[in-house]
Amino acid sequence: MDVFSRTFLPAAAETGLAVQTVSRHMPVFRQCVGSGDATILVARCARPDRPVDGDYLLLLTHRRLVVTRQTRVLHRLRLHLNTELRELSNVTWSPDPRAQAVELAATAIDGVRERFVIRTQHPKQVWQLDTLLHHAFRTRLRRPEERVVATIGDAPPVAPAPLLRPLPAR
C-alpha cells in the first residue's frame, strides 16, 4: 500500500466523510496526486460566492491542493482545481469558531482567486484545521533563491545571500 492510500483514508475518517463519498472521489484524486504524497486533509467544502453550484471535496497533501465538484442533479464528478502548493499565491485562511468554519482563499497560477469554506462539527476542530493549514502553507514555504545555471568566461558564481520576505498577514 502506498503513502497516499495509507494517509488518505484516516484523514477522510477524521473529518467524518462517508465511505461512499470517499470511494466515489478516489479515482479523480488518484489521477492528480502521486503515490508518494501524504494526505494532510480531506474535507467537504463550499464556495461562498456560489452556494448552489454543487458539493465540493477538498484534498490537501504536502505538495498539492485538489478540489473536486459533484453536480447536484446528475451527481457527476468534475475536477475543479488541481495545483501544486508552490503555484498558489496569497494564501489566506480565517478560522471562525462561532460559525464552526474556516474560510480558505488562494490565488491560482492563472490569476483566479479561489475561496472555499470548510465547515467543522465542533469548534475545537476549527483550531485543528487552522494548525493543519499553517503547517501546509507557512512552515513549508521556502525562500526564493536566485539560481545561475551556467556562465561562459566568468569566474564561478558565488551563491547570493538568501532573500527574506515577510509572510503575508492572515
Side-chain angles (χ1 to χ4, degrees):
M1 188 179 269
D2 61 358
V3 175
F4 176 69
S5 297
R6 280 196 320 259
T7 56
F8 179 78
L9 294 175
E14 191 173 310
T15 56
L17 289 173
V19 175
Q20 296 86 0
T21 303
V22 172
S23 61
R24 186 166 168 81
H25 289 259
M26 181 65 118
V28 178
F29 289 144
R30 271 261 180 235
Q31 291 175 354
C32 300
V33 178
S35 61
D37 204 1
T39 303
I40 297 173
L41 173 69
V42 181
R44 284 191 188 279
C45 61
R47 296 188 62 195
D49 51 343
R50 297 182 182 170
V52 293
D53 216 14
D55 296 327
Y56 291 84
L57 196 64
L58 179 138
L59 168 67
L60 178 65
T61 70
H62 289 291
R63 294 185 194 121
R64 299 193 79 75
L65 175 65
V66 181
V67 180
T68 58
R69 178 176 72 106
Q70 182 174 334
T71 60
R72 290 193 187 266
V73 179
L74 299 176
H75 301 290
R76 290 191 180 153
L77 288 178
R78 304 258 192 254
L79 184 62
H80 176 74
L81 179 66
N82 177 20
T83 185
E84 290 189 25
L85 297 184
R86 62 186 168 89
E87 293 175 345
L88 294 173
S89 62
N90 197 19
V91 178
T92 59
W93 63 92
S94 53
D96 187 358
R98 289 184 187 169
Q100 296 181 10
V102 175
E103 183 173 339
L104 173 66
T107 303
I109 196 166
D110 58 358
V112 176
R113 185 77 175 159
E114 299 284 352
R115 291 178 49 215
F116 301 101
V117 175
I118 305 168
R119 303 220 181 273
T120 62
Q121 298 171 352
H122 195 273
K124 287 183 180 180
Q125 289 176 325
V126 170
W127 300 117
Q128 291 171 346
L129 193 55
D130 179 55
T131 303
L132 288 174
L133 293 172
H134 186 273
H135 174 71
F137 292 109
R138 296 290 184 254
T139 59
R140 295 185 143 299
L141 289 180
R142 296 192 174 99
R143 290 180 284 207
E145 297 177 8
E146 253 183 62
R147 213 167 39 126
V148 176
V149 178
T151 56
I152 298 174
D154 292 339
V158 178
L163 302 172
L164 296 177
R165 291 192 301 174
L167 292 173
R170 292 194 288 168

